[in-house]
Amino acid sequence: MDTNFEREPGQKKDQNKNIIIIVLVLLVIISGIKLYTDYVDRTKKTEEILLLSTENNELNQRLDSVTFQLNLRIQEIEKLGGDVQALEAVRDQLIAERNSTRQRSSSEIAALNGKITNLNSLIAQKDQEILELRAANQQLFAENQDLKTTQAEIEEEVVQLNMQKQDLQAKVDVASMLKAENITIAAVNSRGKERVETTKDFRNRQIERLKVSFNLADNKVAEKGPRNIYIQVLDGNSQPIFDVAKGSGTFMINGAELFYTVKQDIIFDNTEQELTFYYEKGSAYTSGNHQVKIFVDNYQVGAKSFAVK
Protein backbone atom coordinates (compact mmCIF):
# COMPACT_ATOMS: atom_id res chain seq x y z
CA MET A 1 0.00 0.00 0.00
CA ASP A 2 2.81 2.39 0.76
CA THR A 3 4.48 1.77 -2.58
CA ASN A 4 1.41 2.69 -4.69
CA PHE A 5 0.91 5.84 -2.70
CA GLU A 6 4.41 7.09 -3.59
CA ARG A 7 3.89 6.50 -7.32
CA GLU A 8 0.68 8.54 -7.69
CA PRO A 9 2.23 12.03 -7.21
CA GLY A 10 4.94 11.28 -9.83
CA GLN A 11 2.41 10.25 -12.41
CA LYS A 12 0.39 13.42 -11.84
CA LYS A 13 3.48 15.50 -12.31
CA ASP A 14 4.21 13.88 -15.67
CA GLN A 15 0.65 14.42 -16.81
CA ASN A 16 0.85 18.16 -16.01
CA LYS A 17 4.04 18.47 -18.05
CA ASN A 18 2.42 16.77 -20.99
CA ILE A 19 -0.58 19.08 -20.80
CA ILE A 20 1.73 22.15 -20.77
CA ILE A 21 3.66 20.85 -23.75
CA ILE A 22 0.45 20.18 -25.67
CA VAL A 23 -0.81 23.69 -24.90
CA LEU A 24 2.49 25.25 -26.02
CA VAL A 25 2.42 23.23 -29.22
CA LEU A 26 -1.14 24.35 -29.88
CA LEU A 27 -0.16 27.99 -29.25
CA VAL A 28 2.76 27.70 -31.64
CA ILE A 29 0.52 26.14 -34.29
CA ILE A 30 -2.12 28.84 -33.81
CA SER A 31 0.53 31.61 -33.99
CA GLY A 32 1.95 30.06 -37.15
CA ILE A 33 -1.47 29.91 -38.74
CA LYS A 34 -2.10 33.56 -37.76
CA LEU A 35 1.24 34.69 -39.17
CA TYR A 36 0.58 32.82 -42.39
CA THR A 37 -2.93 34.26 -42.84
CA ASP A 38 -1.60 37.76 -42.09
CA TYR A 39 1.12 37.25 -44.66
CA VAL A 40 -1.42 36.07 -47.23
CA ASP A 41 -3.63 39.15 -46.52
CA ARG A 42 -0.70 41.54 -46.81
CA THR A 43 0.41 39.94 -50.04
CA LYS A 44 -3.09 40.18 -51.46
CA LYS A 45 -3.42 43.84 -50.47
CA THR A 46 0.00 44.64 -51.96
CA GLU A 47 -1.01 42.98 -55.22
CA GLU A 48 -4.26 44.96 -55.24
CA ILE A 49 -2.39 48.23 -54.63
CA LEU A 50 0.10 47.45 -57.40
CA LEU A 51 -2.74 46.58 -59.75
CA LEU A 52 -4.57 49.84 -58.97
CA SER A 53 -1.36 51.81 -59.42
CA THR A 54 -0.79 50.22 -62.82
CA GLU A 55 -4.37 50.89 -63.84
CA ASN A 56 -4.08 54.52 -62.67
CA ASN A 57 -0.91 55.01 -64.68
CA GLU A 58 -2.51 53.55 -67.78
CA LEU A 59 -5.57 55.76 -67.23
CA ASN A 60 -3.37 58.86 -66.93
CA GLN A 61 -1.72 57.97 -70.23
CA ARG A 62 -5.14 57.65 -71.86
CA LEU A 63 -6.16 61.01 -70.36
CA ASP A 64 -3.01 62.63 -71.77
CA SER A 65 -3.67 61.13 -75.19
CA VAL A 66 -7.30 62.19 -75.45
CA THR A 67 -6.48 65.68 -74.11
CA PHE A 68 -3.83 66.05 -76.83
CA GLN A 69 -6.32 64.97 -79.48
CA LEU A 70 -8.93 67.42 -78.19
CA ASN A 71 -6.38 70.25 -78.27
CA LEU A 72 -5.63 69.51 -81.92
CA ARG A 73 -9.33 69.73 -82.79
CA ILE A 74 -9.81 72.90 -80.73
CA GLN A 75 -6.94 74.65 -82.52
CA GLU A 76 -8.16 73.62 -85.98
CA ILE A 77 -11.82 74.52 -85.35
CA GLU A 78 -10.82 77.85 -83.80
CA LYS A 79 -8.63 78.63 -86.82
CA LEU A 80 -11.57 77.88 -89.11
CA GLY A 81 -13.87 80.13 -87.08
CA GLY A 82 -15.94 77.42 -85.39
CA ASP A 83 -17.28 77.29 -81.82
CA VAL A 84 -14.88 75.55 -79.41
CA GLN A 85 -16.48 76.45 -76.06
CA ALA A 86 -17.95 72.99 -75.41
CA LEU A 87 -14.74 71.21 -76.39
CA GLU A 88 -12.70 73.48 -74.13
CA ALA A 89 -14.97 72.65 -71.19
CA VAL A 90 -14.47 68.88 -71.77
CA ARG A 91 -10.71 69.33 -72.14
CA ASP A 92 -10.50 71.37 -68.93
CA GLN A 93 -12.36 68.62 -67.03
CA LEU A 94 -9.90 66.02 -68.32
CA ILE A 95 -6.93 68.18 -67.33
CA ALA A 96 -8.36 68.65 -63.84
CA GLU A 97 -8.87 64.88 -63.49
CA ARG A 98 -5.34 64.22 -64.79
CA ASN A 99 -3.83 66.63 -62.28
CA SER A 100 -5.69 65.07 -59.34
CA THR A 101 -3.33 63.51 -56.79
CA ARG A 102 -5.84 61.23 -55.05
CA GLN A 103 -5.79 57.47 -55.62
CA ARG A 104 -8.75 56.34 -57.73
CA SER A 105 -10.79 53.28 -56.91
CA SER A 106 -11.45 50.45 -59.37
CA SER A 107 -14.98 51.74 -60.03
CA GLU A 108 -13.71 55.28 -60.68
CA ILE A 109 -11.07 54.00 -63.09
CA ALA A 110 -13.72 51.99 -64.95
CA ALA A 111 -16.01 55.04 -65.16
CA LEU A 112 -13.23 57.26 -66.52
CA ASN A 113 -12.23 54.65 -69.08
CA GLY A 114 -15.83 54.57 -70.25
CA LYS A 115 -15.89 58.34 -70.52
CA ILE A 116 -12.71 58.32 -72.61
CA THR A 117 -14.21 55.72 -74.94
CA ASN A 118 -17.25 57.96 -75.43
CA LEU A 119 -14.95 60.92 -76.16
CA ASN A 120 -13.49 59.06 -79.11
CA SER A 121 -16.88 59.28 -80.84
CA LEU A 122 -17.01 63.02 -80.01
CA ILE A 123 -13.58 63.46 -81.62
CA ALA A 124 -14.84 61.67 -84.73
CA GLN A 125 -17.81 64.10 -84.88
CA LYS A 126 -15.46 67.06 -84.59
CA ASP A 127 -13.32 65.69 -87.43
CA GLN A 128 -16.41 65.76 -89.64
CA GLU A 129 -17.17 69.31 -88.46
CA ILE A 130 -13.61 70.33 -89.40
CA LEU A 131 -14.08 68.96 -92.92
CA GLU A 132 -17.31 70.94 -93.30
CA LEU A 133 -15.71 74.11 -91.96
CA ARG A 134 -12.78 73.75 -94.35
CA ALA A 135 -15.13 73.39 -97.30
CA ALA A 136 -17.08 76.47 -96.19
CA ASN A 137 -13.87 78.44 -95.70
CA GLN A 138 -12.58 77.49 -99.14
CA GLN A 139 -15.79 78.76 -100.69
CA LEU A 140 -15.56 81.99 -98.71
CA PHE A 141 -11.90 82.32 -99.70
CA ALA A 142 -12.80 82.02 -103.38
CA GLU A 143 -15.54 84.63 -102.99
CA ASN A 144 -13.22 86.91 -101.06
CA GLN A 145 -10.54 86.60 -103.74
CA ASP A 146 -13.02 87.89 -106.30
CA LEU A 147 -13.98 90.73 -103.96
CA LYS A 148 -10.33 91.47 -103.17
CA THR A 149 -9.51 91.67 -106.87
CA THR A 150 -12.27 94.20 -107.38
CA GLN A 151 -11.29 96.05 -104.20
CA ALA A 152 -7.63 96.09 -105.25
CA GLU A 153 -8.55 97.59 -108.59
CA ILE A 154 -10.64 100.27 -106.87
CA GLU A 155 -7.86 100.98 -104.36
CA GLU A 156 -5.32 101.25 -107.18
CA GLU A 157 -7.53 103.77 -108.93
CA VAL A 158 -7.90 105.72 -105.68
CA VAL A 159 -4.13 105.67 -105.16
CA GLN A 160 -3.56 106.93 -108.68
CA LEU A 161 -6.12 109.70 -108.19
CA ASN A 162 -4.55 110.66 -104.86
CA MET A 163 -1.09 110.72 -106.45
CA GLN A 164 -2.38 112.92 -109.24
CA LYS A 165 -4.08 115.12 -106.68
CA GLN A 166 -0.93 115.35 -104.57
CA ASP A 167 1.18 116.07 -107.64
CA LEU A 168 -1.23 118.76 -108.71
CA GLN A 169 -1.33 120.20 -105.18
CA ALA A 170 2.48 120.21 -105.07
CA LYS A 171 2.57 122.10 -108.36
CA VAL A 172 -0.04 124.52 -107.06
CA ASP A 173 1.94 124.99 -103.82
CA VAL A 174 5.09 125.75 -105.78
CA ALA A 175 3.27 128.02 -108.18
CA SER A 176 1.60 129.90 -105.32
CA MET A 177 4.92 130.68 -103.62
CA LEU A 178 5.67 134.39 -103.67
CA LYS A 179 8.85 135.89 -105.07
CA ALA A 180 10.74 139.03 -104.12
CA GLU A 181 11.79 141.18 -107.08
CA ASN A 182 13.90 144.33 -107.49
CA ILE A 183 15.70 143.81 -104.18
CA THR A 184 17.65 146.91 -103.17
CA ILE A 185 19.99 147.28 -100.18
CA ALA A 186 20.98 150.76 -99.04
CA ALA A 187 23.04 152.23 -96.23
CA VAL A 188 21.40 155.25 -94.58
CA ASN A 189 23.76 157.59 -92.68
CA SER A 190 22.95 159.79 -89.70
CA ARG A 191 21.86 162.65 -92.02
CA GLY A 192 19.41 160.39 -93.86
CA LYS A 193 21.50 160.13 -96.98
CA GLU A 194 21.22 156.78 -98.72
CA ARG A 195 24.01 154.89 -100.43
CA VAL A 196 22.77 152.00 -102.55
CA GLU A 197 24.90 148.87 -102.71
CA THR A 198 27.01 148.75 -105.86
CA THR A 199 30.33 147.25 -106.71
CA LYS A 200 31.80 149.38 -103.92
CA ASP A 201 31.67 148.31 -100.29
CA PHE A 202 29.73 150.13 -97.56
CA ARG A 203 31.67 151.86 -94.86
CA ASN A 204 30.56 151.44 -91.25
CA ARG A 205 30.11 155.22 -90.81
CA GLN A 206 27.66 155.16 -93.71
CA ILE A 207 25.39 152.53 -92.10
CA GLU A 208 23.39 154.27 -89.39
CA ARG A 209 20.47 152.19 -90.62
CA LEU A 210 20.24 149.37 -93.13
CA LYS A 211 17.43 149.70 -95.67
CA VAL A 212 16.02 146.72 -97.62
CA SER A 213 13.44 147.36 -100.35
CA PHE A 214 11.71 145.02 -102.79
CA ASN A 215 8.36 144.25 -104.31
CA LEU A 216 6.35 141.02 -104.39
CA ALA A 217 6.01 139.68 -107.92
CA ASP A 218 2.63 139.17 -109.57
CA ASN A 219 1.21 135.74 -108.74
CA LYS A 220 -2.37 134.98 -109.73
CA VAL A 221 -2.21 131.49 -108.19
CA ALA A 222 -1.25 132.72 -104.72
CA GLU A 223 -4.14 133.15 -102.30
CA LYS A 224 -4.69 136.70 -101.12
CA GLY A 225 -4.55 137.32 -97.42
CA PRO A 226 -2.21 137.88 -94.45
CA ARG A 227 1.49 137.10 -94.78
CA ASN A 228 4.46 137.27 -92.40
CA ILE A 229 7.55 138.80 -94.04
CA TYR A 230 10.91 138.16 -92.34
CA ILE A 231 14.26 139.78 -93.16
CA GLN A 232 17.35 137.93 -91.98
CA VAL A 233 20.72 139.70 -92.17
CA LEU A 234 23.76 137.41 -91.93
CA ASP A 235 27.24 138.71 -91.08
CA GLY A 236 30.51 137.65 -92.64
CA ASN A 237 30.48 134.44 -90.55
CA SER A 238 26.95 133.58 -91.73
CA GLN A 239 25.59 134.35 -88.24
CA PRO A 240 22.24 136.17 -88.02
CA ILE A 241 22.29 139.78 -86.84
CA PHE A 242 19.46 140.39 -84.38
CA ASP A 243 18.43 142.46 -81.38
CA VAL A 244 15.26 141.43 -79.56
CA ALA A 245 14.99 144.95 -78.09
CA LYS A 246 14.71 146.34 -81.63
CA GLY A 247 12.06 143.90 -82.86
CA SER A 248 14.11 140.85 -83.76
CA GLY A 249 12.88 137.35 -82.88
CA THR A 250 12.59 133.79 -84.14
CA PHE A 251 10.48 131.93 -86.69
CA MET A 252 10.17 128.32 -87.84
CA ILE A 253 11.25 127.05 -91.25
CA ASN A 254 11.50 123.37 -92.25
CA GLY A 255 11.24 122.37 -88.61
CA ALA A 256 14.16 124.58 -87.54
CA GLU A 257 13.98 127.74 -85.42
CA LEU A 258 15.82 130.70 -87.02
CA PHE A 259 16.46 134.25 -85.90
CA TYR A 260 15.11 137.11 -88.00
CA THR A 261 16.44 140.65 -87.99
CA VAL A 262 13.22 142.55 -88.79
CA LYS A 263 9.66 141.56 -89.60
CA GLN A 264 6.45 142.95 -91.12
CA ASP A 265 2.92 141.54 -91.22
CA ILE A 266 1.12 142.45 -94.44
CA ILE A 267 -2.03 141.67 -96.39
CA PHE A 268 -1.00 140.23 -99.74
CA ASP A 269 -3.26 141.60 -102.50
CA ASN A 270 -1.23 140.70 -105.61
CA THR A 271 -0.69 144.31 -106.63
CA GLU A 272 3.10 143.93 -106.79
CA GLN A 273 3.17 145.85 -103.54
CA GLU A 274 6.52 147.38 -102.56
CA LEU A 275 7.90 146.76 -99.09
CA THR A 276 10.66 148.58 -97.19
CA PHE A 277 12.44 147.44 -94.03
CA TYR A 278 14.85 149.42 -91.80
CA TYR A 279 17.21 148.05 -89.22
CA GLU A 280 19.39 150.11 -86.88
CA LYS A 281 22.15 147.87 -85.60
CA GLY A 282 23.59 150.25 -82.99
CA SER A 283 27.11 148.89 -83.42
CA ALA A 284 29.66 148.47 -86.17
CA TYR A 285 29.25 145.78 -88.81
CA THR A 286 32.09 143.31 -89.21
CA SER A 287 34.17 143.64 -92.35
CA GLY A 288 33.37 141.32 -95.20
CA ASN A 289 30.43 140.04 -97.19
CA HIS A 290 26.96 140.10 -95.65
CA GLN A 291 23.80 138.52 -96.94
CA VAL A 292 20.15 139.53 -96.76
CA LYS A 293 17.56 136.74 -96.97
CA ILE A 294 13.84 137.38 -97.40
CA PHE A 295 11.23 134.90 -96.16
CA VAL A 296 7.44 134.80 -96.50
CA ASP A 297 5.83 132.66 -93.78
CA ASN A 298 8.02 129.53 -93.86
CA TYR A 299 9.89 129.70 -97.20
CA GLN A 300 12.55 131.90 -98.76
CA VAL A 301 11.50 134.26 -101.56
CA GLY A 302 14.73 136.11 -102.31
CA ALA A 303 18.28 137.05 -101.26
CA LYS A 304 20.97 139.62 -101.97
CA SER A 305 24.48 140.40 -100.68
CA PHE A 306 26.39 143.51 -99.65
CA ALA A 307 29.93 144.10 -98.42
CA VAL A 308 31.29 146.20 -95.55
CA LYS A 309 34.83 147.61 -95.32
Side-chain angles (χ1 to χ4, degrees), residues 141-160:
F141 177 78
E143 293 173 356
N144 285 334
Q145 285 299 105
D146 293 339
L147 290 174
K148 285 179 181 178
T149 300
T150 305
Q151 183 68 22
E153 292 172 351
I154 294 172
E155 289 176 356
E156 179 63 24
E157 292 178 3
V158 171
V159 168
Q160 292 297 328

Side-chain angles (χ1 to χ4, degrees), residues 190-250:
S190 57
R191 298 189 301 275
K193 184 178 179 179
E194 294 184 7
R195 181 184 177 87
V196 178
E197 49 82 24
T198 60
T199 55
K200 294 182 179 180
D201 298 342
F202 291 145
R203 296 180 184 275
N204 259 301
R205 58 185 173 79
Q206 297 170 336
I207 316 176
E208 178 73 18
R209 291 188 298 165
L210 189 69
K211 177 182 176 182
V212 180
S213 301
F214 61 91
N215 66 276
L216 296 173
D218 176 65
N219 190 329
K220 294 180 174 57
V221 179
E223 183 180 351
K224 295 178 181 180
R227 296 287 193 279
N228 298 315
I229 313 295
Y230 304 98
I231 302 296
Q232 186 187 60
V233 181
L234 302 175
D235 63 18
N237 297 318
S238 297
Q239 296 301 311
I241 297 172
F242 65 96
D243 187 343
V244 176
K246 295 182 179 180
S248 301
T250 61

Side-chain angles (χ1 to χ4, degrees), residues 61-85:
Q61 291 176 0
R62 295 191 69 191
L63 286 171
D64 288 338
S65 176
V66 76
T67 300
F68 176 76
Q69 294 299 325
L70 284 174
N71 269 327
L72 291 179
R73 273 65 178 184
I74 288 170
Q75 292 171 9
E76 185 66 18
I77 293 173
E78 194 170 31
K79 184 171 66 176
L80 294 170
D83 184 12
V84 295
Q85 188 173 357

Side-chain angles (χ1 to χ4, degrees), residues 42-193:
R42 284 197 302 271
T43 303
K44 185 177 180 181
K45 287 180 181 179
T46 301
E47 290 175 352
E48 290 175 352
I49 291 171
L50 289 174
L51 181 61
L52 280 175
S53 178
T54 301
E55 291 177 351
N56 268 289
N57 289 335
E58 291 175 352
L59 177 61
N60 285 335
Q61 291 176 0
R62 295 191 69 191
L63 286 171
D64 288 338
S65 176
V66 76
T67 300
F68 176 76
Q69 294 299 325
L70 284 174
N71 269 327
L72 291 179
R73 273 65 178 184
I74 288 170
Q75 292 171 9
E76 185 66 18
I77 293 173
E78 194 170 31
K79 184 171 66 176
L80 294 170
D83 184 12
V84 295
Q85 188 173 357
L87 273 183
E88 287 177 334
V90 173
R91 179 201 60 192
D92 292 344
Q93 289 176 1
L94 292 178
I95 292 174
E97 182 61 44
R98 175 64 176 84
N99 293 335
S100 176
T101 56
R102 69 183 183 83
Q103 187 72 18
R104 305 180 188 93
S105 65
S106 297
S107 59
E108 289 174 330
I109 292 173
L112 281 172
N113 279 321
K115 184 176 182 179
I116 291 172
T117 302
N118 292 333
L119 284 176
N120 288 329
S121 61
L122 175 63
I123 289 173
Q125 293 175 7
K126 293 304 174 181
D127 287 340
Q128 182 60 36
E129 182 180 335
I130 288 171
L131 292 176
E132 293 171 358
L133 285 171
R134 282 177 180 169
N137 274 275
Q138 287 174 356
Q139 183 178 353
L140 286 174
F141 177 78
E143 293 173 356
N144 285 334
Q145 285 299 105
D146 293 339
L147 290 174
K148 285 179 181 178
T149 300
T150 305
Q151 183 68 22
E153 292 172 351
I154 294 172
E155 289 176 356
E156 179 63 24
E157 292 178 3
V158 171
V159 168
Q160 292 297 328
L161 287 173
N162 284 335
M163 290 176 62
Q164 293 174 11
K165 182 180 177 181
Q166 291 173 3
D167 185 52
L168 178 61
Q169 185 61 48
K171 291 178 180 178
V172 170
D173 291 342
V174 171
S176 64
M177 294 176 71
L178 301 180
K179 182 180 179 182
E181 292 183 330
N182 306 316
I183 302 171
T184 302
I185 301 174
V188 182
N189 63 19
S190 57
R191 298 189 301 275
K193 184 178 179 179

